[in-house]
Amino acid sequence: MSTRSGKGGGAVAGTAPRRTPTRRRLFDAAVTLIAEQGFSATTVEEIAERAGVAKGTVYYNFSSKNVLYEELLRDGVDLLAASLRTAADDTVARGGTRVDALDAMIRAGLDFIAGSPALTQLYVAELWRTNRTWRATLTSVRGRALAVVESVLRDAVRTGELSGELDVPLTASALLGMVLVAALDWQSFQPDRSVDEVHAALAQLVQGRVGA
């Protein structure tokens, strides 16, 4: 996550290390509260109290609650995209196939969601809303996550691992959506299952359908 500059337009030397942990606490507080009681019902005062900071600290880091939430979504999806990319690159570097890379991305996605279930819940909920001020940001960061999956699929088509008739954009959306929805269902209704079980089921589906 990048660190914003000060109000004067330039970053003040030595402020980034202090501000980054504060922004992280604000993000964590906001995502928990919004998941519990909704965006409209969550106040800046509550976010500040949950984060253990003064109300003014929220406005020092973010100009409004809307901006905080917009950056929260951007930060979260960027972290997801980075974890997917790392999983795919590491697999290919070890000599794995692109389909193996897709499998590794599924596991990385499940691990990410298991660690941030509230953030994932908010992201999925926002996909259905079209009147938010941050809709353009959400569309942009969604595109970055999808681009990671699409790049692996295109490489698989190029190397002959997958059919040239594959609809790459739609397949990428389906794979990402599958992981998100399956993981939320797992967390909400089948919490007794291990991540290994969920991963095995999804991996079998991908290997048997996309891989074939």
Side-chain angles (χ1 to χ4, degrees), residues 5-197:
S5 61
K7 291 183 178 180
V12 179
T15 59
R18 292 195 299 272
R19 291 183 65 186
T20 299
T22 299
R23 289 164 70 91
R24 185 79 267 150
R25 289 202 305 274
L26 290 171
F27 279 165
D28 290 343
V31 73
T32 302
L33 285 167
I34 294 170
E36 289 174 355
Q37 57 195 34
F39 176 79
S40 298
T42 300
T43 66
V44 171
E45 289 84 356
E46 289 173 319
I47 293 172
E49 181 179 358
R50 181 68 65 92
V53 301
K55 178 180 176 181
T57 302
V58 180
Y59 289 115
Y60 176 72
N61 286 274
F62 307 98
S63 59
S64 68
K65 186 176 72 169
N66 278 6
V67 170
L68 187 159
Y69 191 50
E70 181 176 355
E71 294 202 20
L72 168 64
L73 290 171
R74 180 188 292 113
D75 178 77
V77 180
D78 279 349
L79 287 174
L80 172 60
S83 68
L84 297 179
R85 170 52 66 191
T86 298
D89 288 348
D90 288 351
T91 300
V92 173
R94 291 194 300 267
T97 67
R98 269 66 180 185
V99 175
D100 291 333
L102 290 173
D103 179 69
M105 291 165 71
I106 290 173
R107 180 54 186 252
L110 291 173
D111 286 338
F112 180 89
I113 293 166
S116 307
L119 175 62
T120 307
Q121 179 183 345
L122 294 180
Y123 170 75
V124 172
E126 288 303 321
L127 291 178
W128 299 100
R129 299 188 174 102
T130 59
N131 61 342
R132 300 294 204 188
T133 58
W134 51 78
R135 183 68 184 181
T137 295
L138 184 62
T139 300
S140 174
V141 295
R142 172 184 174 274
R144 290 203 286 274
L146 283 175
V148 177
V149 185
E150 289 180 11
S151 68
V152 175
L153 290 172
R154 288 197 174 91
D155 284 345
V157 171
R158 178 179 53 80
T159 57
E161 293 178 48
L162 297 179
S163 169
E165 297 180 357
L166 185 73
D167 186 325
V168 170
L170 186 56
T171 301
S173 296
L175 289 173
L176 184 61
M178 175 187 73
V179 173
L180 291 172
V181 174
L184 287 177
D185 185 88
W186 160 46
Q187 296 280 306
S188 299
F189 302 109
Q190 305 181 64
D192 54 314
R193 289 187 177 273
S194 68
V195 65
D196 290 333
E197 288 181 288

Side-chain angles (χ1 to χ4, degrees), residues 103 106 198-210:
D103 179 69
I106 290 173
V198 180
H199 174 219
L202 298 185
Q204 185 176 24
L205 179 62
V206 171
Q207 293 282 354
R209 296 292 183 250
V210 177

